[in-house]
């Protein structure tokens, strides 16, 4: 029996090998196709990308025909270079440079020589293409924008680079891929599937017909259409209101987490990044270091949130049982505490309880509530972590998981933060009390602020903000249906919401009411400093406003941030009121607010501040720049809105 074992193994192995060889050589021609690649021309058929619609079915992004001139360097023979260059309006130096680049990629494979010709350019070249051996035209589709807004939402499509090609074999030289926005995040859904045709060539490199009668040919499959959660009308309106301003607006539907508007300012018409002028226009946008139009402030800009953060300070203090609705603080327009420090306050002073503390935005009240929260526990480090965990349950201090490829964490400090700042220990609640009013080490992005308000509107839960509403033929990611609950009990939201409602009736936003709409809101100011000769110089604050409406059964939560806009009720507040009315009513009755905001320009202010960094702590700002800024601020201070926090 043992004598037969080895011969049996050899016979079985040889039989399997012969069967595999027979399959590969006779039945399956895949490897033969690859081995005969030199005698086969591969031609790709590119599908249209999926269309993009808004939540109401309005077409936002479609497609238009485009034509790339492709080149196979080794096949170039006896062409009139001068005529070729004149026909395509390029120089001979450009011609040589492009050919050399194509050779580096591959002398035998096609690569893009000149991309994105329009119909007239293509027609002129097509008439004489027979004279230019080694060149052919590849039809593709480019984006055709039906609107002139939303550039930060859509992103754009660009040619793939070598890194992408190496990482993903689907892409070949000259292919297009989504960059930024939904074009990048939903690339695999929008791009479709390329079709492929194989053609047989003879020994003279001439096409002699389809390879294997088209056995291996495939047809292109168009990309899937998608509907965004964006409401095109309020997106457009938001961008109009932010003309000549810098900042971001984010609006969310509280009950679903759907993003209704995602505005960044300044912005640009997305159509300028299409066609042969794309590279030139992108370069201009990229190198605009002052306005930074490619920087999505709604997702990336991290700022101290200012007074809107008092909402969380109050909720945590209620949850921890250190205050209740009747807890009273006496405010003399600010309060003193240990080490002689002082916190300014813009409220009317006197004895305040929670309700009035909210609608008058009393720093003294919330500073006291915060210190009582920290002082509840013996160890400040433990207390800070308790507070930090409550706040983080609102989705803060972390990436939120939305379906856009860019974002920032913001910052919610913990005990680790203060162990780094105070390595020798000894710090107490008085040292970090600025956190109470959204200053200190707290940083938030506009989308985090909007989500915070959506959570308050829902009285304790939120869904991950997302921009996809529907994908034709597919389901959206199930994570967007998962409810996230905070650590704050539901009953504590009621007094906070009542206070936010009276911000519009009795408090810091009483001049921004919209008749017939019950809005709950909070004004805010983010302090803004420059560092000069080692000293901090205060510049114009950032204007912030958060809100949701209606008070009962909320349908929209919003955050508005305007850089260097001053107090919250000056610019950000009116914008929030207008956006809410536009969404709920589809029209505007507060035309006085609309006129004020549309006519309000901060361009002179930004011009003087040009070159300063995005961050609040701006390094090495020249003294004369600060002086000019202060003078301009005085000369242009025409707004009569009450300066309130």
């Amino acid at each position: 029996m043992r004598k037969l074992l080895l011969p049996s193994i050899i016979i079985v192995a040889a039989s399997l090998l012969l069967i595999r060889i027979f399959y590969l050589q006779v039945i399956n021609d895949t490897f033969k196709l690859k081995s005969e690649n030199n005698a086969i021309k591969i031609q790709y058929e590119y599908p249209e990308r999926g269309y993009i619609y808004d939540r109401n079915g309005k077409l936002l992004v479609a497609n238009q025909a485009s034509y790339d001139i492709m080149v196979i360097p080794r096949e170039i023979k006896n062409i009139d270079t001068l005529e070729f260059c004149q026909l395509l309006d390029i120089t001979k130096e450009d011609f040589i440079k492009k050919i050399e680049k194509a050779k580096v990629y591959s002398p035998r494979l096609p690569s893009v020589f000149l991309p994105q010709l329009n119909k007239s350019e293509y027609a002129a070249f097509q008439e004489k293409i027979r004279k230019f051996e080694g060149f052919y035209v590849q039809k593709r589709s480019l984006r055709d924008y039906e609107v002139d807004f939303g550039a930060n939402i859509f992103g754009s499509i660009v040619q793939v680079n070598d890194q992408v090609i190496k990482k993903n074999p689907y892409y070949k030289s000259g292919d297009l891929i989504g960059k930024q926005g939904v074009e990048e995040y939903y690339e695999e859904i929008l791009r479709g599937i390329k079709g492929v045709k194989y053609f047989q060539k003879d020994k003279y490199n001439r096409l002699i017909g389809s390879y294997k009668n088209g056995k291996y040919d495939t047809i292109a499959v168009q990309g899937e259409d998608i509907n965004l959660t964006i409401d095109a009308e309020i997106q457009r309106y938001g961008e109009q209101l932010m003309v000549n301003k810098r900042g971001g607006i984010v609006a969310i539907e509280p009950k679903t987490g759907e993003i209704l508007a995602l505005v960044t300012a300044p912005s640009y018409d997305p159509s300028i990044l299409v066609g042969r002028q794309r590279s030139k226009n992108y370069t201009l946008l990229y190198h605009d270091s002052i306005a930074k139009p490619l920087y999505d402030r709604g997702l990336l800009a991290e700022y101290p949130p200012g007074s809107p953060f008092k909402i969380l300070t109050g909720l945590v203090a209620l949850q921890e049982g250190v205050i209740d609705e009747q807890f009273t603080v006496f405010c003399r327009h600010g309060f003193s505490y240990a080490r002689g420090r002082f916190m300014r306050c813009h409220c009317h002073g006197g004895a305040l309880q929670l309700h009035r503390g909210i609608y008058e935005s009393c720093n003294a009240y919330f500073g006291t509530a915060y210190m009582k929260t920290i002082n509840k526990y013996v160890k400040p480090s433990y207390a800070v972590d308790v507070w930090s965990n409550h706040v983080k349950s609102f989705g803060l201090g972390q990436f939120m998981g939305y379906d856009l490829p860019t974002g920032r964490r913001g910052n919610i400090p913990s005990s680790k933060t203060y162990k780094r700042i105070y390595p020798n220990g000894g710090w107490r609640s008085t040292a970090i009390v600025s956190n109470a009013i959204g200053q200190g080490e707290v940083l938030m992005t506009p989308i985090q602020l909007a989500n915070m308000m959506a959570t308050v509107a829902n009285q304790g839960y939120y869904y991950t903000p997302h921009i996809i509403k529907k994908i034709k033929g597919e389901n959206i990611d199930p994570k967007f249906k998962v409810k996230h609950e905070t650590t704050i009990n539901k009953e504590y939201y009621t007094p906070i919401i009542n206070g936010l409602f009276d911000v519009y009736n009795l408090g810091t936003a009483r001049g921004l009411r919209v008749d017939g709409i019950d809005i709950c809101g909070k004004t805010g100011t983010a302090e803004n400093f420059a560092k000069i000769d080692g000293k901090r110089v205060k510049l114009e604050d950032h204007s912030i406003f958060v809100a949701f409406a209606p008070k009962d059964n909320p349908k929209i939560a919003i955050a508005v941030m305007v850089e260097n806009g001053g107090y919250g009720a000056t610019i950000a507040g009116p914008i929030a009121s207008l956006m809410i009315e536009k969404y709920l009513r589809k029209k505007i009755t507060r035309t006085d607010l609309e006129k004020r905001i549309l006519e309000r320009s901060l361009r002179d202010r930004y011009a003087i501040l040009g070159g300063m960094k995005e961050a609040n702590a701006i390094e090495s700002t020249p003294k004369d720049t600060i002086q000019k800024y202060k003078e301009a601020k005085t000369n242009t201070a025409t707004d009569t809105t009450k300066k309130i926090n």
Side-chain angles (χ1 to χ4, degrees):
M1 192 69 177
R2 290 181 179 178
K3 292 181 180 180
L4 295 175
L5 181 60
L6 182 59
S8 299
I9 292 174
I10 294 173
I11 291 170
V12 171
S15 299
L16 292 173
L17 183 60
L18 289 171
I19 292 171
R20 180 61 176 166
I21 292 172
F22 176 80
Y23 172 77
L24 292 176
Q25 293 190 350
V26 179
I27 299 175
N28 189 330
D29 287 340
T30 303
F31 285 89
K32 182 180 179 182
L33 181 62
K34 292 181 178 180
S35 70
E36 293 180 348
N37 190 49
N38 292 337
I40 296 172
K41 178 181 178 180
I42 301 175
Q43 181 175 310
Y44 292 102
E45 180 183 353
Y46 289 87
E48 282 196 79
R49 288 179 77 85
Y51 284 29
I52 300 177
Y53 300 85
D54 84 337
R55 66 187 295 109
N56 300 312
K58 177 181 174 60
L59 180 61
L60 304 176
V61 186
N63 299 302
Q64 58 181 305
S66 174
Y67 307 89
D68 291 353
I69 296 180
M70 309 294 291
V71 62
I72 303 175
R74 66 170 289 183
E75 296 183 7
I76 298 175
K77 295 177 183 178
N78 304 321
I79 71 168
D80 186 333
T81 306
L82 182 60
E83 181 184 9
F84 184 91
C85 292
Q86 289 177 341
L87 186 62
L88 294 175
D89 193 24
I90 62 174
T91 65
K92 188 173 181 179
E93 290 73 21
D94 286 337
F95 177 87
I96 295 171
K97 188 186 298 185
K98 292 176 183 294
I99 294 298
E100 291 303 317
K101 182 179 179 180
K103 287 179 179 178
V104 170
Y105 171 71
S106 173
R108 308 169 69 93
L109 297 176
S111 59
V112 176
F113 177 84
L114 193 64
Q116 302 181 6
L117 274 66
N118 58 36
K119 290 182 179 179
S120 60
E121 292 170 329
Y122 161 70
F125 183 77
Q126 185 70 7
E127 286 183 3
K128 298 184 178 182
I129 194 171
R130 66 186 184 282
K131 299 169 65 175
F132 307 121
E133 194 170 350
F135 293 88
Y136 70 95
V137 175
Q138 175 68 66
K139 183 179 179 181
R140 304 181 196 271
S141 65
L142 297 180
R143 282 314 205 183
D144 184 18
Y145 295 98
E146 307 299 311
V147 295
D148 60 359
F149 54 83
N152 61 310
I153 296 172
F154 306 136
S156 60
I157 54 174
V158 302
Q159 283 191 33
V160 294
N161 54 34
D162 292 339
Q163 185 177 358
V164 172
I165 294 172
K166 290 177 182 178
K167 185 177 179 180
N168 191 333
Y170 173 87
Y171 297 101
K172 309 297 180 186
S173 177
D175 283 6
L176 301 174
I177 190 172
K179 182 72 172 177
Q180 295 300 328
V182 295
E183 295 280 18
E184 179 176 332
Y185 195 91
Y186 289 104
E187 163 67 10
E188 292 188 9
I189 289 169
L190 289 168
R191 75 186 181 192
I193 302 173
K194 286 184 290 190
V196 183
K197 291 183 179 180
Y198 299 93
F199 296 94
Q200 184 75 48
K201 295 187 290 187
D202 63 15
K203 63 181 180 179
Y204 299 108
N205 204 34
R206 296 176 301 195
L207 295 180
I208 58 176
S210 177
Y211 180 78
K212 294 286 185 180
N213 294 319
K215 179 179 179 181
Y216 301 103
D217 293 353
T218 59
I219 61 173
V221 179
Q222 182 175 348
E224 299 293 351
D225 297 342
I226 63 174
N227 285 74
L228 303 182
T229 59
I230 294 294
D231 183 302
E233 286 305 306
I234 67 163
Q235 177 70 29
R236 177 191 58 79
Y237 189 57
E239 293 193 19
Q240 288 178 344
L241 295 174
M242 289 295 287
V243 169
N244 294 324
K245 306 168 190 69
R246 294 181 194 165
I249 304 173
V250 182
I252 294 174
E253 185 178 68
K255 292 293 189 291
T256 61
E258 294 179 355
I259 299 173
L260 303 172
L262 180 61
V263 175
T264 184
S267 189
Y268 56 92
D269 186 337
S271 64
I272 69 173
L273 295 185
V274 177
R276 291 179 66 178
Q277 297 300 312
R278 181 194 187 282
S279 179
K280 174 185 174 183
N281 291 334
Y282 182 83
T283 300
L284 291 173
L285 294 173
Y286 181 81
H287 290 291
D288 187 348
S289 60
I290 297 177
K292 295 187 177 180
L294 295 175
Y295 181 75
D296 192 331
R297 288 167 166 83
L299 302 178
L300 294 172
E302 297 171 296
Y303 303 94
S307 291
F309 197 78
K310 294 172 184 175
I311 296 169
L312 299 187
T313 300
L315 285 170
V316 174
L318 288 168
Q319 180 67 35
E320 287 297 309
V322 297
I323 69 168
D324 56 25
E325 293 182 59
Q326 286 71 46
F327 174 73
T328 303
V329 170
F330 190 80
C331 176
R332 297 178 183 269
H333 305 295
F335 74 104
S336 299
Y337 47 86
R339 302 178 186 174
R341 298 179 64 185
F342 183 81
M343 180 177 284
R344 291 187 304 110
C345 187
H346 298 283
C347 80
H348 296 111
L352 294 93
Q353 296 178 333
L354 178 62
H355 185 73
R356 185 179 163 208
I358 294 172
Y359 73 70
E360 287 197 2
S361 193
C362 180
N363 290 345
Y365 187 94
F366 291 98
T368 302
Y370 178 79
M371 288 194 296
K372 287 178 69 67
T373 300
I374 301 302
N375 295 337
K376 175 182 176 180
Y377 300 95
V378 175
K379 292 184 178 181
S381 59
Y382 177 77
V384 166
D385 284 339
V386 170
W387 168 84
S388 180
N389 289 334
H390 281 309
V391 173
K392 287 177 179 177
S393 73
F394 287 77
L396 307 181
Q398 57 198 290
F399 291 115
M400 301 188 70
Y402 49 72
D403 50 345
L404 287 164
T406 189
R408 294 282 172 82
R409 291 177 180 270
N411 186 60
I412 300 299
S414 65
S415 61
K416 292 181 180 179
T417 306
Y418 296 111
K419 285 176 182 177
R420 289 195 301 268
I421 297 174
Y422 303 99
N424 298 322
W427 57 275
R428 298 178 182 276
S429 62
T430 52
I432 60 173
V433 70
S434 292
N435 290 334
I437 59 172
Q439 299 288 161
E441 286 68 49
V442 177
L443 294 174
M444 292 172 65
T445 61
I447 194 170
Q448 289 176 325
L449 273 168
N451 190 63
M452 178 193 80
M453 285 306 282
T455 308
V456 174
N458 291 334
Q459 300 183 48
Y461 71 88
Y462 69 91
Y463 292 96
T464 299
H466 53 284
I467 207 161
I468 192 71
K469 187 171 183 67
K470 184 170 66 175
I471 303 172
K472 186 178 179 181
E474 296 187 32
N475 295 320
I476 67 171
D477 194 322
K479 74 177 183 180
F480 299 133
K481 302 292 186 182
V482 176
K483 181 186 285 189
H484 303 278
E485 298 189 5
T486 71
T487 57
I488 309 298
N489 293 346
K490 184 176 180 179
E491 63 264 26
Y492 297 127
Y493 288 91
T494 300
I496 296 293
I497 290 172
N498 289 335
L500 295 174
F501 179 60
D502 276 338
V503 167
Y504 267 86
N505 297 313
L506 305 170
T508 55
R510 56 188 173 273
L512 306 178
R513 291 181 60 189
V514 179
D515 289 341
I517 301 178
D518 293 336
I519 305 177
C520 299
K522 185 73 192 73
T523 52
T525 304
E527 292 187 326
N528 185 24
F529 293 92
K531 209 176 262 189
I532 306 171
D533 296 335
K535 297 180 180 179
R536 296 177 83 207
V537 176
K538 193 173 187 305
L539 304 181
E540 190 71 71
D541 294 328
H542 301 315
S543 178
I544 298 175
F545 198 91
V546 296
F548 66 82
K551 179 175 180 283
D552 300 318
N553 191 25
K555 292 180 172 58
I556 180 173
I558 192 169
V560 180
M561 193 285 299
V562 180
E563 292 183 10
N564 310 110
Y567 292 91
T570 305
I571 298 181
I575 290 175
S577 292
L578 291 167
M579 290 285 285
I580 287 172
E581 185 178 20
K582 186 71 170 179
Y583 180 67
L584 295 179
R585 288 181 171 165
K586 312 303 179 187
K587 63 179 182 179
I588 294 297
T589 60
R590 287 300 307 267
T591 54
D592 58 321
L593 291 182
E594 183 179 60
K595 183 175 185 294
R596 185 206 308 177
I597 295 302
L598 291 176
E599 292 178 353
R600 186 66 184 272
S601 173
L602 301 180
R603 290 182 65 181
D604 291 343
R605 187 175 297 175
Y606 296 141
I608 295 169
L609 293 171
M612 291 185 175
K613 297 180 182 178
E614 288 281 339
N616 292 317
I618 304 167
E619 304 292 340
S620 64
T621 305
K623 288 183 179 180
D624 60 341
T625 298
I626 297 301
Q627 185 58 38
K628 289 179 182 178
Y629 168 74
K630 289 181 176 179
E631 292 172 359
K633 188 171 83 169
T634 301
N635 294 335
T636 59
T638 58
D639 190 276
T640 58
T641 301
K642 185 177 179 181
K643 292 186 175 182
I644 45 183
N645 189 30

